[in-house]
Amino acid sequence: MKMSKMFMPTLREVPAEAVVASHRLMMRSGMLRKLGNGLFTYLPLGLRSFRKVENIIREEMDAAGALEFKPSVVVPGEIWRESGRWETMGEGMLRVKNRVDQELVVSPTAEEAFTALLRGEISSYKQLPMNAYQINTKYRDEIRPRYGVMRGREFTMKDAYSFHADEESLDETYRAMGKAYRRIFRRCGLSVIPVKADSGAMGGTGSEEFMVESEVGDNNLILCPKCGYAANDEKASCAPDPVTSGPGSAPAGKAFSPVETPNVRTIEELTAFLKTVPQAFIKTLVYRAVNSELDLSSAPGCAKLDRVTPASSPAYYPESFFAVCVRGDLDVNEVKLAATVKASEVELASDRDVERLTGAPVGFAGPVGLSSVPVIADLSVTAMHDAVTGALKADLHYEHVEPGRDFTPWLTADVRTVKAGDRCPVCGDAFYAKKGNELGHIFKLGYKYTKSMNMLYLDENGKQQYPMMGCYGIGVDRTLASIIEEHNDDDGILWPMSVAPFQVAVVPIKYEGAMKDAADRLYAELSAAGIEALLDDRNERPGVKFKDMDLVGIPVRIVVGDKNLPNVELKLRSSKDASLIPLEGAAAKAAEIVRASLAELSAPSGED
Ligand code: ATP
Ligand code: MG
């Protein structure tokens, strides 16, 4: 491609909202423009790299035995009602009505679309397993789109859905997808950290996320330096804490007793008032669960709840309340909590609900004598002794509380947020933490969609069965942006060869006379060798040309200057040094560099 025929409007200044390197560089190098909030246009240069990422994903999915489909992006609302997600997807799902008032959805994901398609096609175990994928537009009405295409509203996702006759088959595909993902990211030049992830209330049995480290990452990764344990904090667990005693530990058998705490509500106020430490408190929070599958009214004293019993999916309770106890210095992790109560989401109860249910203003809830809601105790609480808790009355707390003796939780579960410094449950070493961005996610779904959407096949004995399902997603745009995040310097992008928009830049100091002839020759030879070359035939100062090429990040550069001819200058974007080589053979040399670099990125590794 000749630069004069290309459209790559480079910028010196970028909008203030471009705060991360990838967003700035995609704008500055003329890859991307914004059309609206979370809505972007890839310009020709950006699209070249985008397509390369897409193709790497496609090649690895095909190699792993998945089959590409191309469903519509707009799908009937009806199938979302069938799965039950019409109600639970919330406002992130864009719903529209057409001229005859038909409800339509702009796909945020496609479990429903693939299940609806394949239930009409798969009728026998002989057709299983099947792994179907698309690389297609998604829309999510993100509240706060940010960091350019990292979190857009419209974006492209590769999403695959697999269907199986048994769990072993699902496990096999799940493992194959995990391997394919590792290869995809390696070929893109990305260092990813696979972590254990939350499989939520979806009935899933396994889930792994592929993360890149990022200062602006939305995920907290909990990592063990010794044994390699790695998990999203939405899933991470830790070794039990040593049994803690309250300060001035009460002699065994001392009964709990009230202590007046006028206007003392927060843990900070309490520790100051009682001259103790946060670890001595049992913090009690009241939560509201949305669409929980657990009957949280089965605890004694709870008011009976309304239950919804859809034909095929499990019964659920649209709204229920419960209390959670955790050691005073720890935080409750709401994703772990939602998974524990099998709810689509949990949120702190309103002040009014807290008062209604505990009989006391906010700040005085406690598990002793609390019967209007079930109490879930974090594992940290079961290890406590001689604790302080709210006493379900304004301005009053209890001291010398013994879990187990003075209250019995309805359920004991791991719901705390694990942090750096907590101990690894596998080897006991201290965790460290990193912030990460999720690029991909693989997930065992089980029967959630095949049951709710009634997808059946006949097994070997002619008996009707629901297939098991897995799903596997990668964000194409976010992967592209993350490559730039990992490969840039003060001057611009440093593309890994596999995803560079062009592989070699040919830059004549002036596009005239002998320099023009040499540049044209190099360009022709490179093109004939199948190398993607960009020839800067513009009438610009050399400094401008060099700056633009560095910004755009083309991995190999050949500069043709009249002083050097019949030699030319060969330089890698990743290196400061240039070498003079004869024009004769220069294209072959550049082609060799390109091929070696591509081969290195796609070489098998021990993980394959
Ligand atoms: P996140 O937690 O970042 O919102 P998610 O867990 O909702 O992502 P999935 O449903 O697992 O995302 O989607 C699979 C992949 O799609 C993600 O790993 C990510 O790469 C990509 N993705 C999701 N939302 C966006 C978005 N708003 N913009 C760009 N890519 C996205
Ligand atoms: Mg995810």
Side-chain angles (χ1 to χ4, degrees):
M1 173 75 70
K2 288 190 176 164
M3 204 90 150
S4 58
K5 302 270 187 306
M6 184 69 182
F7 180 70
M8 40 185 287
T10 53
L11 296 176
R12 247 163 245 240
E13 302 290 328
V14 286
E17 68 185 27
V19 290
V20 297
S22 58
H23 189 187
R24 274 200 307 271
L25 289 168
M26 288 175 92
M27 298 293 292
R28 281 190 58 204
S29 66
M31 292 176 69
L32 191 77
R33 288 295 182 263
K34 176 174 160 179
L35 198 57
N37 201 5
L39 304 172
F40 295 92
T41 304
Y42 284 91
L43 306 185
L45 185 81
L47 189 59
R48 290 180 73 97
S49 288
F50 180 93
R51 291 276 183 246
K52 289 194 173 184
V53 173
E54 202 181 66
N55 274 328
I56 288 174
I57 297 173
R58 180 173 286 116
E59 282 170 20
E60 295 299 334
M61 292 306 290
D62 293 348
L67 298 169
E68 187 169 4
F69 288 62
K70 172 74 176 73
S72 61
V73 172
V74 177
V75 298
E78 200 182 307
I79 59 177
W80 289 84
R81 287 198 183 274
E82 273 189 63
S83 72
R85 285 210 289 184
W86 180 266
E87 287 79 23
T88 57
M89 282 301 279
E91 295 183 17
M93 185 158 87
L94 184 63
R95 304 151 206 246
V96 286
K97 277 193 178 166
N98 68 1
R99 67 182 81 195
V100 291
D101 252 9
Q102 185 194 3
E103 289 170 338
L104 298 167
V105 165
V106 186
S107 294
T109 175
E111 285 79 5
E112 281 79 359
F114 275 90
T115 308
L117 167 77
L118 292 174
R119 73 179 163 192
E121 304 293 332
I122 290 179
S123 53
S124 154
Y125 71 95
K126 290 181 192 150
Q127 294 165 284
L128 296 174
M130 156 82 105
N131 190 3
Y133 80 98
Q134 63 174 332
I135 302 180
N136 214 347
T137 302
K138 301 285 177 296
Y139 186 90
R140 293 183 184 180
D141 215 30
E142 299 276 355
I143 299 172
R144 211 157 69 82
R146 58 188 182 280
Y147 310 137
V149 297
M150 279 279 191
R151 184 173 297 285
R153 285 195 168 137
E154 186 178 306
F155 58 99
T156 301
M157 196 202 286
K158 184 288 296 173
D159 42 331
Y161 306 89
S162 67
F163 297 84
H164 309 269
D166 54 44
E167 199 158 359
E168 291 77 68
S169 167
L170 172 59
D171 284 347
E172 198 179 311
T173 299
Y174 180 83
R175 274 196 303 275
M177 288 293 101
K179 267 189 180 176
Y181 275 36
R182 284 168 172 78
R183 273 189 61 77
I184 287 166
F185 295 123
R186 205 169 60 240
R187 283 182 64 186
C188 289
L190 277 168
S191 324
V192 293
I193 310 172
V195 300
K196 288 190 195 22
D198 167 52
S199 26
M202 300 180 80
T205 48
S207 164
E208 200 177 15
E209 286 167 338
F210 293 80
M211 297 282 185
V212 281
E213 198 183 335
S214 161
E215 275 172 37
V216 296
D218 295 318
N219 297 273
N220 295 312
L221 315 183
I222 301 297
L223 306 159
C224 175
K226 195 161 150 204
C227 74
Y229 177 96
N232 193 319
D233 76 346
E234 296 176 341
K235 175 74 182 174
S237 52
C238 61
D241 296 298
V243 170
T244 48
S245 308
S249 245
K254 186 162 180 182
F256 73 88
S257 57
V259 49
E260 301 261 350
T261 50
N263 273 324
V264 175
R265 292 159 192 262
T266 65
I267 297 270
E268 292 76 44
E269 289 165 353
L270 262 170
T271 45
F273 186 83
L274 296 177
K275 299 195 176 44
T276 176
V277 291
Q279 286 87 326
F281 291 96
I282 296 176
K283 183 159 71 180
T284 306
L285 302 162
V286 180
Y287 272 94
R288 188 174 86 93
V290 180
N291 298 344
S292 168
E293 285 174 31
L294 291 193
D295 181 2
L296 292 161
S297 63
S298 63
C302 299
K304 266 265 136 304
L305 292 172
D306 292 330
R307 189 162 84 136
V308 179
T309 44
S312 45
S313 51
Y316 63 90
Y317 301 84
E319 180 180 82
S320 35
F321 291 90
F322 61 99
V324 178
C325 292
V326 65
R327 206 174 66 205
D329 60 316
L330 303 176
D331 294 319
V332 170
N333 187 290
E334 294 184 355
V335 177
K336 284 164 76 171
L337 191 58
T340 302
V341 298
K342 296 187 186 259
S344 57
E345 109 186 66
V346 295
E347 58 177 31
L348 280 172
S350 66
D351 290 2
R352 263 187 58 198
D353 282 326
V354 173
E355 287 187 30
R356 177 175 65 82
L357 293 162
T358 67
V362 173
F364 299 96
V368 180
L370 182 60
S371 61
S372 56
V373 286
V375 174
I376 297 181
D378 179 60
L379 295 174
S380 61
V381 169
T382 56
M384 291 176 73
H385 289 291
D386 192 17
V388 178
T389 71
L392 303 177
K393 206 165 163 216
D395 300 339
L396 200 69
H397 280 78
Y398 288 136
E399 290 182 304
H400 314 306
V401 171
E402 286 292 312
R405 182 193 70 182
D406 301 329
F407 68 95
T408 309
W410 179 73
L411 187 74
T412 301
D414 171 14
V415 293
R416 76 196 255 187
T417 300
V418 173
K419 296 199 206 63
D422 287 339
R423 300 270 155 192
C424 174
V426 180
C427 74
D429 211 7
F431 282 136
Y432 66 103
K434 279 183 177 177
K435 283 207 169 301
N437 248 331
E438 178 197 318
L439 300 189
H441 195 168
I442 61 175
F443 205 110
K444 293 188 205 171
L445 288 167
Y447 298 110
K448 157 119 177 140
Y449 296 93
T450 53
K451 277 196 178 164
S452 58
M453 297 184 67
N454 209 29
M455 174 172 180
L456 288 159
Y457 70 95
L458 290 179
D459 70 10
E460 285 171 62
N461 305 315
K463 213 175 141 226
Q464 284 203 317
Q465 304 280 4
Y466 296 107
M468 294 192 99
M469 216 174 141
C471 73
Y472 320 92
I474 295 184
V476 180
D477 316 74
R478 197 180 284 180
T479 299
L480 180 65
S482 300
I483 297 170
I484 300 174
E485 288 292 327
E486 190 170 334
H487 300 277
N488 72 78
D489 63 13
D490 290 345
D491 297 323
I493 306 170
L494 286 92
W495 287 111
M497 193 63 78
S498 52
V499 287
F502 293 95
Q503 296 160 331
V504 179
V506 178
V507 186
I509 298 290
K510 275 200 158 166
Y511 194 56
E512 60 186 34
M515 285 183 281
K516 177 176 186 299
D517 294 343
D520 285 345
R521 173 177 168 190
L522 283 169
Y523 180 69
E525 286 176 2
L526 286 164
S527 304
I531 301 298
E532 297 162 347
L534 180 64
L535 169 60
D536 195 345
D537 59 346
R538 295 175 302 170
N539 185 18
E540 286 284 359
R541 281 182 293 117
V544 171
K545 293 184 176 184
F546 295 154
K547 265 205 152 54
D548 275 351
M549 288 300 180
D550 279 349
L551 177 60
V552 168
I554 299 174
V556 185
R557 185 179 84 183
I558 306 176
V559 175
V560 184
D562 44 6
K563 290 202 191 93
N564 288 332
L565 278 174
N567 288 327
V568 293
E569 188 193 273
L570 182 89
K571 182 181 165 299
L572 301 184
R573 174 67 179 85
S574 57
S575 142
K576 287 267 163 276
D577 310 319
S579 53
L580 275 184
I581 57 168
L583 169 64
E584 182 75 43
K589 172 82 189 150
E592 196 185 300
I593 294 171
V594 171
R595 293 206 181 97
S597 169
L598 286 175
E600 194 186 322
L601 283 163
S602 62
S605 91
E607 290 171 339
D608 294 345

